[in-house]
Amino acid sequence: MNDRDRFFRYVCQTSAMPLGLEVARAEGCWIETTDGRRYLDFLAGIGVAGVGHANPAVVAAIREQAGQYLHAMVYGEYVLAPQARLAERLGTLAPDPLSVVYFTNSGTEANEGALKLAKKVTGRHHLVAFHGSYHGDSHGSLAVTGREVYRRPFEPLLPGVTFLPFDDPAALDAIDEKVAGVIVEPIQGEGGVRVPGPQFLPALRRRCDAAGALLIFDEVQTGMGRTGTLFAGEQWGVVPDVLVLAKAVGGGMPLGAFIGSPKLMRALSQDPPLSHVTTFGGHPVCCAAGLAALEVLLAEGLIARAAATGERLRAGLREMGKRLGGVTDVRGRGLLVGLELVDGAMTERFAARCLDRGLIVGWTLHTNRVIRLAPPLILSDAELEQGLSMMAEALAEAKAQDSSRDEPGTRADRAL
Ligand SMILES: Cc1ncc(COP(=O)(O)O)c(C=O)c1O
């Protein structure tokens, strides 16, 4: 049995049609498969490989830490230098007064912690979230994920969750004194790379302050420079009560975090003590990798680079749309870009034709018309141009294909 057969027989499948690329190695912005093909990766593991695949500084930090110790004790008992140093770095970079970090293994766990914190400090249990959001697949995060089709099979989930329309300041009056916390992605990722207007996040901050509800920014996808600032919320000048990170924060290793003020975070050590614990959260090897990735991000100016490269990517895509047609919108911030096409079938064909040419692009979970682009922030000018020309060829071919050659329905359609 070869590895492909093992994958399909023994690895639990989550869709009927996995991409199934057989990865041999991944480096920088490139993935090489076992058949010797090279793919330019415009998805980066859905925003994980911000500093590129197998960044040498990250790999060196992993090797060094692995030579010292792997796991020593459950979270919060021993002083582990990589954890303490990464916490200091994140705690200092996060906007005031956010400075205390709780490490987890993933984004969904970090959101669980943030939601629990909101309930504990307010003594309330109602939560507010937004249509089109995605916060993860554990029960609590799923309960605040704004797409019913994914929640329904697992109900009952958390009680008392209200969903409001995203980017609608008028709807925020529904946040009242019963609400413990409001969770929002500053830019919705899985909702189709939706960037809110200038009013929404500041209005949300004001409403949460008035109601005494905690404002939680889920920056799992938008954080760590992806959108052209270290955290996306900065672009609206809004500071949340809790900032949630994952994906790129581990430099390619499993790591998540939620960050709050010292006063807020103290709640997890009292009434009762050990209110929120984890065995592996903040694993020293992952924190060493995360610290190395953060230093690369800052030292190499990758945040400003993401902003500039993202502008050029969007401009190139707009020009492509004007020239070839089939594009209904191009949006995003930094290197989180949504390319909206006319319909689901076109989107499916476009992605498939990109892959034929050796370019990896992504879907978004809640819409079948938006291609998500989230390349490593180290993307070079030449790689950007290469990606753009592959997308133009793919779009021309996708448009030329008549409907008799349509793949039957799109991935997202099949989830509906
Ligand atoms: C905004 C957001 N929150 C939470 C998550 C869940 O993170 P994880 O898959 O690490 O649990 C994701 C993952 O895509 C995400 O995009």
Short mmCIF file of all heavy atoms in Angstrom, two decimals, residues 83-131:
data_model
loop_
_atom_site.label_atom_id
_atom_site.label_comp_id
_atom_site.label_asym_id
_atom_site.label_seq_id
_atom_site.Cartn_x
_atom_site.Cartn_y
_atom_site.Cartn_z
N GLN A 83 8.47 29.92 26.37
CA GLN A 83 7.11 30.38 26.63
C GLN A 83 7.13 31.78 27.25
O GLN A 83 6.40 32.69 26.82
CB GLN A 83 6.46 29.40 27.60
CG GLN A 83 4.97 29.36 27.61
CD GLN A 83 4.51 28.38 28.66
OE1 GLN A 83 4.60 28.64 29.87
NE2 GLN A 83 4.01 27.23 28.21
N ALA A 84 7.98 31.95 28.25
CA ALA A 84 8.05 33.25 28.94
C ALA A 84 8.50 34.35 27.98
O ALA A 84 7.98 35.47 27.99
CB ALA A 84 9.00 33.14 30.13
N ARG A 85 9.48 34.01 27.12
CA ARG A 85 10.02 35.02 26.19
C ARG A 85 9.01 35.40 25.10
O ARG A 85 8.88 36.57 24.74
CB ARG A 85 11.32 34.53 25.55
CG ARG A 85 12.45 34.49 26.57
CD ARG A 85 13.71 33.89 26.02
NE ARG A 85 14.63 33.60 27.13
CZ ARG A 85 15.72 32.88 27.03
NH1 ARG A 85 16.06 32.35 25.87
NH2 ARG A 85 16.48 32.67 28.08
N LEU A 86 8.29 34.39 24.60
CA LEU A 86 7.29 34.72 23.57
C LEU A 86 6.14 35.52 24.20
O LEU A 86 5.62 36.47 23.59
CB LEU A 86 6.76 33.44 22.90
CG LEU A 86 5.70 33.67 21.82
CD1 LEU A 86 6.21 34.56 20.69
CD2 LEU A 86 5.21 32.33 21.24
N ALA A 87 5.76 35.15 25.42
CA ALA A 87 4.69 35.89 26.11
C ALA A 87 5.10 37.35 26.29
O ALA A 87 4.31 38.28 26.05
CB ALA A 87 4.39 35.25 27.46
N GLU A 88 6.37 37.56 26.69
CA GLU A 88 6.85 38.95 26.88
C GLU A 88 6.76 39.72 25.56
O GLU A 88 6.27 40.85 25.51
CB GLU A 88 8.30 38.96 27.38
CG GLU A 88 8.83 40.37 27.56
CD GLU A 88 10.35 40.40 27.70
OE1 GLU A 88 11.04 39.55 27.09
OE2 GLU A 88 10.84 41.27 28.43
N ARG A 89 7.19 39.05 24.48
CA ARG A 89 7.23 39.72 23.17
C ARG A 89 5.80 40.06 22.71
O ARG A 89 5.52 41.18 22.29
CB ARG A 89 7.92 38.76 22.19
CG ARG A 89 8.61 39.43 21.06
CD ARG A 89 9.90 40.11 21.52
NE ARG A 89 10.65 40.55 20.34
CZ ARG A 89 10.63 41.78 19.85
NH1 ARG A 89 9.91 42.72 20.45
NH2 ARG A 89 11.33 42.11 18.79
N LEU A 90 4.91 39.09 22.81
CA LEU A 90 3.53 39.33 22.37
C LEU A 90 2.84 40.34 23.30
O LEU A 90 2.11 41.23 22.86
CB LEU A 90 2.72 38.02 22.36
CG LEU A 90 3.07 37.02 21.26
CD1 LEU A 90 2.33 35.69 21.50
CD2 LEU A 90 2.72 37.56 19.88
N GLY A 91 3.09 40.16 24.59
CA GLY A 91 2.46 41.04 25.58
C GLY A 91 2.91 42.48 25.43
O GLY A 91 2.16 43.42 25.72
N THR A 92 4.15 42.67 24.97
CA THR A 92 4.65 44.03 24.77
C THR A 92 4.14 44.61 23.45
O THR A 92 3.86 45.81 23.36
CB THR A 92 6.20 44.02 24.75
OG1 THR A 92 6.64 43.23 25.84
CG2 THR A 92 6.78 45.40 24.90
N LEU A 93 4.00 43.77 22.45
CA LEU A 93 3.55 44.25 21.13
C LEU A 93 2.04 44.48 21.08
O LEU A 93 1.54 45.30 20.30
CB LEU A 93 3.94 43.24 20.04
CG LEU A 93 5.44 43.16 19.73
CD1 LEU A 93 5.76 41.89 18.96
CD2 LEU A 93 5.88 44.40 18.94
N ALA A 94 1.29 43.74 21.90
CA ALA A 94 -0.17 43.90 21.89
C ALA A 94 -0.51 45.30 22.41
O ALA A 94 0.21 45.86 23.23
CB ALA A 94 -0.82 42.83 22.77
N PRO A 95 -1.62 45.88 21.92
CA PRO A 95 -1.96 47.24 22.37
C PRO A 95 -2.30 47.26 23.86
O PRO A 95 -2.87 46.30 24.39
CB PRO A 95 -3.20 47.58 21.53
CG PRO A 95 -3.75 46.27 21.06
CD PRO A 95 -2.60 45.33 20.97
N ASP A 96 -1.95 48.33 24.53
CA ASP A 96 -2.27 48.49 25.96
C ASP A 96 -3.78 48.48 26.13
O ASP A 96 -4.49 49.03 25.28
CB ASP A 96 -1.72 49.82 26.48
CG ASP A 96 -0.22 49.76 26.65
OD1 ASP A 96 0.32 48.64 26.75
OD2 ASP A 96 0.40 50.85 26.66
N PRO A 97 -4.29 47.89 27.22
CA PRO A 97 -3.58 47.30 28.35
C PRO A 97 -3.38 45.79 28.22
O PRO A 97 -3.16 45.11 29.22
CB PRO A 97 -4.54 47.60 29.51
CG PRO A 97 -5.90 47.46 28.88
CD PRO A 97 -5.76 47.91 27.45
N LEU A 98 -3.46 45.26 27.02
CA LEU A 98 -3.34 43.80 26.84
C LEU A 98 -1.88 43.40 26.97
O LEU A 98 -1.04 43.84 26.17
CB LEU A 98 -3.86 43.39 25.45
CG LEU A 98 -5.37 43.31 25.25
CD1 LEU A 98 -6.07 44.61 25.52
CD2 LEU A 98 -5.70 42.82 23.85
N SER A 99 -1.56 42.57 27.95
CA SER A 99 -0.15 42.23 28.12
C SER A 99 0.09 40.83 28.68
O SER A 99 1.23 40.39 28.77
CB SER A 99 0.54 43.25 29.04
OG SER A 99 -0.01 43.16 30.34
N VAL A 100 -0.99 40.14 29.08
CA VAL A 100 -0.81 38.81 29.68
C VAL A 100 -1.36 37.76 28.72
O VAL A 100 -2.48 37.88 28.23
CB VAL A 100 -1.49 38.73 31.06
CG1 VAL A 100 -1.43 37.32 31.62
CG2 VAL A 100 -0.83 39.71 32.03
N VAL A 101 -0.54 36.74 28.48
CA VAL A 101 -0.84 35.78 27.41
C VAL A 101 -1.15 34.40 27.98
O VAL A 101 -0.42 33.90 28.84
CB VAL A 101 0.39 35.65 26.47
CG1 VAL A 101 0.09 34.71 25.31
CG2 VAL A 101 0.85 37.01 25.97
N TYR A 102 -2.22 33.80 27.51
CA TYR A 102 -2.50 32.39 27.81
C TYR A 102 -2.30 31.62 26.51
O TYR A 102 -2.95 31.89 25.50
CB TYR A 102 -3.95 32.22 28.30
CG TYR A 102 -4.23 30.83 28.81
CD1 TYR A 102 -4.41 30.59 30.17
CD2 TYR A 102 -4.30 29.74 27.95
CE1 TYR A 102 -4.64 29.30 30.65
CE2 TYR A 102 -4.53 28.46 28.42
CZ TYR A 102 -4.69 28.25 29.77
OH TYR A 102 -4.92 26.98 30.24
N PHE A 103 -1.40 30.61 26.55
CA PHE A 103 -1.10 29.85 25.32
C PHE A 103 -1.97 28.60 25.22
O PHE A 103 -2.22 27.91 26.21
CB PHE A 103 0.37 29.42 25.32
CG PHE A 103 1.32 30.55 25.06
CD1 PHE A 103 2.19 30.98 26.06
CD2 PHE A 103 1.36 31.19 23.83
CE1 PHE A 103 3.09 32.01 25.82
CE2 PHE A 103 2.25 32.23 23.58
CZ PHE A 103 3.12 32.64 24.59
N THR A 104 -2.39 28.31 24.00
CA THR A 104 -3.16 27.11 23.71
C THR A 104 -2.48 26.36 22.55
O THR A 104 -1.43 26.78 22.07
CB THR A 104 -4.59 27.48 23.28
OG1 THR A 104 -4.54 28.19 22.03
CG2 THR A 104 -5.28 28.35 24.32
N ASN A 105 -3.14 25.30 22.10
CA ASN A 105 -2.58 24.53 20.97
C ASN A 105 -3.14 24.96 19.63
O ASN A 105 -2.62 24.56 18.59
CB ASN A 105 -2.90 23.04 21.14
CG ASN A 105 -2.39 22.50 22.45
OD1 ASN A 105 -1.20 22.31 22.61
ND2 ASN A 105 -3.28 22.29 23.40
N SER A 106 -4.25 25.69 19.64
CA SER A 106 -4.95 25.96 18.39
C SER A 106 -5.83 27.20 18.53
O SER A 106 -5.99 27.73 19.64
CB SER A 106 -5.85 24.78 18.03
OG SER A 106 -6.86 24.66 19.02
N GLY A 107 -6.41 27.61 17.41
CA GLY A 107 -7.29 28.77 17.41
C GLY A 107 -8.59 28.52 18.15
O GLY A 107 -9.06 29.35 18.92
N THR A 108 -9.17 27.36 17.89
CA THR A 108 -10.46 27.09 18.53
C THR A 108 -10.32 27.04 20.05
O THR A 108 -11.17 27.55 20.77
CB THR A 108 -11.12 25.81 17.94
OG1 THR A 108 -12.51 25.82 18.26
CG2 THR A 108 -10.47 24.54 18.43
N GLU A 109 -9.21 26.46 20.52
CA GLU A 109 -9.00 26.42 21.97
C GLU A 109 -8.79 27.82 22.54
O GLU A 109 -9.20 28.10 23.67
CB GLU A 109 -7.76 25.60 22.31
CG GLU A 109 -7.94 24.12 22.22
CD GLU A 109 -6.59 23.46 22.39
OE1 GLU A 109 -6.13 23.35 23.54
OE2 GLU A 109 -5.99 23.09 21.38
N ALA A 110 -8.11 28.65 21.80
CA ALA A 110 -7.88 30.02 22.27
C ALA A 110 -9.22 30.76 22.38
O ALA A 110 -9.47 31.49 23.34
CB ALA A 110 -6.92 30.75 21.34
N ASN A 111 -10.11 30.53 21.40
CA ASN A 111 -11.44 31.15 21.48
C ASN A 111 -12.24 30.60 22.66
O ASN A 111 -12.96 31.34 23.33
CB ASN A 111 -12.21 30.92 20.17
CG ASN A 111 -11.76 31.89 19.08
OD1 ASN A 111 -11.36 33.02 19.37
ND2 ASN A 111 -11.81 31.45 17.84
N GLU A 112 -12.12 29.29 22.91
CA GLU A 112 -12.80 28.71 24.07
C GLU A 112 -12.38 29.44 25.34
O GLU A 112 -13.20 29.80 26.18
CB GLU A 112 -12.45 27.22 24.23
CG GLU A 112 -12.94 26.32 23.13
CD GLU A 112 -14.43 26.06 23.18
OE1 GLU A 112 -15.06 26.28 24.23
OE2 GLU A 112 -14.97 25.65 22.14
N GLY A 113 -11.07 29.64 25.47
CA GLY A 113 -10.55 30.31 26.66
C GLY A 113 -11.09 31.73 26.77
O GLY A 113 -11.47 32.18 27.85
N ALA A 114 -11.12 32.42 25.63
CA ALA A 114 -11.59 33.81 25.65
C ALA A 114 -13.07 33.87 26.02
O ALA A 114 -13.50 34.75 26.79
CB ALA A 114 -11.36 34.44 24.27
N LEU A 115 -13.86 32.95 25.50
CA LEU A 115 -15.31 32.94 25.82
C LEU A 115 -15.53 32.61 27.30
O LEU A 115 -16.36 33.22 27.97
CB LEU A 115 -16.04 31.93 24.93
CG LEU A 115 -16.05 32.22 23.42
CD1 LEU A 115 -16.63 31.03 22.64
CD2 LEU A 115 -16.82 33.49 23.09
N LYS A 116 -14.76 31.63 27.79
CA LYS A 116 -14.88 31.29 29.22
C LYS A 116 -14.51 32.48 30.09
O LYS A 116 -15.15 32.76 31.11
CB LYS A 116 -13.98 30.09 29.56
CG LYS A 116 -14.58 28.74 29.17
CD LYS A 116 -13.63 27.60 29.49
CE LYS A 116 -13.44 27.38 31.00
NZ LYS A 116 -12.48 26.28 31.26
N LEU A 117 -13.45 33.18 29.67
CA LEU A 117 -13.00 34.34 30.43
C LEU A 117 -14.12 35.40 30.48
O LEU A 117 -14.39 35.98 31.54
CB LEU A 117 -11.75 34.92 29.77
CG LEU A 117 -11.09 36.10 30.47
CD1 LEU A 117 -10.51 35.69 31.82
CD2 LEU A 117 -9.96 36.69 29.60
N ALA A 118 -14.76 35.63 29.35
CA ALA A 118 -15.84 36.64 29.31
C ALA A 118 -16.96 36.26 30.28
O ALA A 118 -17.50 37.11 30.99
CB ALA A 118 -16.38 36.77 27.89
N LYS A 119 -17.30 34.98 30.31
CA LYS A 119 -18.36 34.54 31.22
C LYS A 119 -17.93 34.70 32.68
O LYS A 119 -18.70 35.14 33.52
CB LYS A 119 -18.72 33.07 30.93
CG LYS A 119 -19.43 32.90 29.60
CD LYS A 119 -19.53 31.45 29.17
CE LYS A 119 -20.76 30.77 29.72
NZ LYS A 119 -20.98 29.46 29.08
N LYS A 120 -16.67 34.35 32.93
CA LYS A 120 -16.21 34.36 34.32
C LYS A 120 -16.11 35.79 34.87
O LYS A 120 -16.52 36.05 36.00
CB LYS A 120 -14.85 33.67 34.42
CG LYS A 120 -14.41 33.42 35.84
CD LYS A 120 -13.57 32.16 35.93
CE LYS A 120 -13.38 31.76 37.39
NZ LYS A 120 -12.65 32.74 38.16
N VAL A 121 -15.58 36.70 34.07
CA VAL A 121 -15.38 38.05 34.62
C VAL A 121 -16.68 38.86 34.67
O VAL A 121 -16.81 39.76 35.50
CB VAL A 121 -14.29 38.88 33.90
CG1 VAL A 121 -12.94 38.22 34.03
CG2 VAL A 121 -14.62 39.12 32.45
N THR A 122 -17.64 38.52 33.83
CA THR A 122 -18.89 39.30 33.85
C THR A 122 -19.96 38.62 34.69
O THR A 122 -20.95 39.27 35.07
CB THR A 122 -19.46 39.49 32.42
OG1 THR A 122 -19.72 38.20 31.86
CG2 THR A 122 -18.51 40.27 31.53
N GLY A 123 -19.83 37.32 34.93
CA GLY A 123 -20.89 36.59 35.62
C GLY A 123 -22.14 36.45 34.76
O GLY A 123 -23.20 36.10 35.25
N ARG A 124 -22.02 36.69 33.47
CA ARG A 124 -23.14 36.56 32.53
C ARG A 124 -22.85 35.38 31.59
O ARG A 124 -21.73 34.89 31.53
CB ARG A 124 -23.28 37.83 31.69
CG ARG A 124 -23.27 39.12 32.50
CD ARG A 124 -23.17 40.31 31.56
NE ARG A 124 -23.12 41.58 32.26
CZ ARG A 124 -22.90 42.76 31.67
NH1 ARG A 124 -22.70 42.82 30.35
NH2 ARG A 124 -22.88 43.88 32.34
N HIS A 125 -23.87 34.95 30.84
CA HIS A 125 -23.56 33.86 29.92
C HIS A 125 -23.98 34.10 28.47
O HIS A 125 -23.66 33.30 27.60
CB HIS A 125 -24.16 32.54 30.42
CG HIS A 125 -25.63 32.40 30.21
ND1 HIS A 125 -26.55 32.81 31.15
CD2 HIS A 125 -26.35 31.92 29.17
CE1 HIS A 125 -27.76 32.60 30.70
NE2 HIS A 125 -27.68 32.06 29.49
N HIS A 126 -24.69 35.18 28.21
CA HIS A 126 -25.06 35.43 26.82
C HIS A 126 -23.84 35.85 25.98
O HIS A 126 -22.97 36.56 26.49
CB HIS A 126 -26.13 36.53 26.73
CG HIS A 126 -27.49 36.02 27.09
ND1 HIS A 126 -28.00 36.07 28.36
CD2 HIS A 126 -28.44 35.44 26.32
CE1 HIS A 126 -29.20 35.54 28.38
NE2 HIS A 126 -29.50 35.14 27.15
N LEU A 127 -23.84 35.41 24.74
CA LEU A 127 -22.73 35.76 23.83
C LEU A 127 -23.31 36.31 22.53
O LEU A 127 -24.40 35.90 22.11
CB LEU A 127 -21.88 34.52 23.52
CG LEU A 127 -21.18 33.90 24.74
CD1 LEU A 127 -20.65 32.51 24.40
CD2 LEU A 127 -20.04 34.80 25.23
N VAL A 128 -22.56 37.20 21.93
CA VAL A 128 -22.97 37.75 20.63
C VAL A 128 -21.87 37.45 19.62
O VAL A 128 -20.68 37.57 19.92
CB VAL A 128 -23.24 39.27 20.72
CG1 VAL A 128 -23.36 39.89 19.33
CG2 VAL A 128 -24.51 39.53 21.53
N ALA A 129 -22.29 37.01 18.44
CA ALA A 129 -21.36 36.74 17.35
C ALA A 129 -22.01 37.23 16.05
O ALA A 129 -23.12 37.79 16.09
CB ALA A 129 -21.03 35.26 17.29
N PHE A 130 -21.34 36.99 14.93
CA PHE A 130 -21.83 37.59 13.67
C PHE A 130 -22.05 36.54 12.58
O PHE A 130 -21.32 35.54 12.51
CB PHE A 130 -20.85 38.67 13.20
CG PHE A 130 -20.84 39.82 14.16
CD1 PHE A 130 -19.95 39.85 15.22
CD2 PHE A 130 -21.79 40.83 14.06
CE1 PHE A 130 -19.99 40.87 16.17
CE2 PHE A 130 -21.84 41.86 15.00
CZ PHE A 130 -20.93 41.88 16.05
N HIS A 131 -23.07 36.79 11.78
CA HIS A 131 -23.31 35.92 10.62
C HIS A 131 -22.07 35.91 9.74
O HIS A 131 -21.43 36.95 9.53
CB HIS A 131 -24.50 36.44 9.80
CG HIS A 131 -25.81 36.36 10.54
ND1 HIS A 131 -26.36 35.16 10.95
CD2 HIS A 131 -26.67 37.32 10.97
CE1 HIS A 131 -27.50 35.39 11.58
NE2 HIS A 131 -27.70 36.70 11.62
#
